[in-house]
Amino acid sequence: MEYRRLGASGLKVPALSFGTGTFGGQGPLFGAWGTTDAREARRLVDICLDAGITMFDTADVYSGGASEEVLGKAIKGRRDQVIVSTKTSLPMGDGPGDAGSSRSRLITACEDALRRLGTDHLDLFQLHAFDAGTPVEEVLSALDDLVREGKVRYLGISNFSGWQAMKSLSIAEKYGHPRYVAHQVYYSLIGRDYEWELMPLGLDQGLGALVWSPLGWGRLTGKVRRDRPLPAHSRLHRTADHGPPVEDEHLYRVVDALDEIAQETGKKIPQIAINWLLQRPTVSSVIIGARNEEQLCQNLGAIGWALTPDQLAKLHAASGRTAPYPYFPYQRQEGFARLNPPVGDAAPLPAA
């Protein structure tokens, strides 16, 4: 397993980490992801640790805290071997204090997470969404207190826009609060919007990307193909509307390219899609999920090798999209790249 620094921090995380949204799955969304109990979860954690995956990501909103509880049972007796990451801010109930990032909510959410996980500290505590109703100064002050008390070691965000992240980082610097070092983001071959603003921000400000849904909400498994009905057992039947949208033709174009590379390499489509992400700028760790041992072991095959430059170019061409405003107006003009050089191999624009 390769280990990378998490953004501009000293914390080293594995290139692949494990997402526990399937643990204790309940309800129409998380129940469709998986219903892994404590015994099954412990076995999956065993496999992860044997492979060098030491970071486990969860959230209080995953099945109303059940994911944290199951993860806590699965890591019991080996807390010193793992990095525990959890998130808060999304609604946990209908009460006025059950959502957001107020001081009260953050303190309560942290204490609840510690109790459910059976630990005395969180290695990474992330805000699951930006709370526009709470002053950023209040948010950062509360997080600062949790760090000083030893309950939290590193801080991160998830699904923030560029201005939300930059405002938070600027205020943290102004008042001497701990800075966010991680940004948990959606990023995949069929969802490259992260590249246009958040990736350059991450490079500039030292935010390491923790990638969620690297297989495009289950669409890059190799089972969703052109002129073929969606498999009867696919969770997309129940969850497609909850995830990032993608046009069918764009998906099929990317899958066609993945098919070609699979034939060249002998690798599975999910392994190729994850390997591509591991070669992208700012990516500290790709969060993989699995409902069973077979899925987990297949995803582990994404590491230990690298796509060739020609294969990367093929994937970039198939997955490229026109940049959104304000990035597209000047990109075809001579001299633009001197002012704004591309980050990595950003999605190419179609010919004029």
Side-chain angles (χ1 to χ4, degrees), residues 186 188-191 214-231 234 236 240 244-259 269 273 315 318-321:
Y186 170 59
S188 78
L189 271 168
I190 55 172
L215 301 182
W217 206 252
R219 293 180 174 93
L220 297 178
T221 61
K223 299 175 183 177
V224 182
R225 295 175 176 276
R226 190 190 307 272
D227 300 325
R228 187 183 301 179
L230 194 65
S234 173
L236 286 169
V246 60
E247 298 90 348
D248 287 346
E249 186 54 40
H250 183 65
L251 168 63
Y252 299 145
R253 185 165 59 249
V254 172
V255 171
D256 288 344
L258 287 167
D259 263 335
I269 283 180
L315 290 174
S319 62
R321 306 296 291 269

Side-chain angles (χ1 to χ4, degrees), residues 288-316:
I288 59 173
R291 286 183 285 184
N292 52 51
E293 293 183 30
E294 180 183 1
Q295 288 182 348
L296 175 55
C297 292
Q298 182 181 104
N299 286 339
L300 289 173
I303 57 174
W305 60 282
L307 292 161
T308 67
D310 286 345
Q311 290 165 347
L312 289 172
K314 184 177 296 184
L315 290 174
H316 294 155

Side-chain angles (χ1 to χ4, degrees), residues 99-134:
S101 303
S102 67
R103 171 177 288 275
S104 176
R105 173 75 198 289
L106 290 177
I107 293 172
T108 299
C110 181
E111 296 288 354
D112 288 346
L114 293 173
R115 172 179 51 79
R116 287 190 288 256
L117 287 160
T119 185
D120 63 355
H121 72 278
L122 304 172
D123 297 293
L124 178 63
F125 193 38
Q126 301 167 90
L127 304 184
H128 215 157
F130 184 75
D131 178 3
T134 299

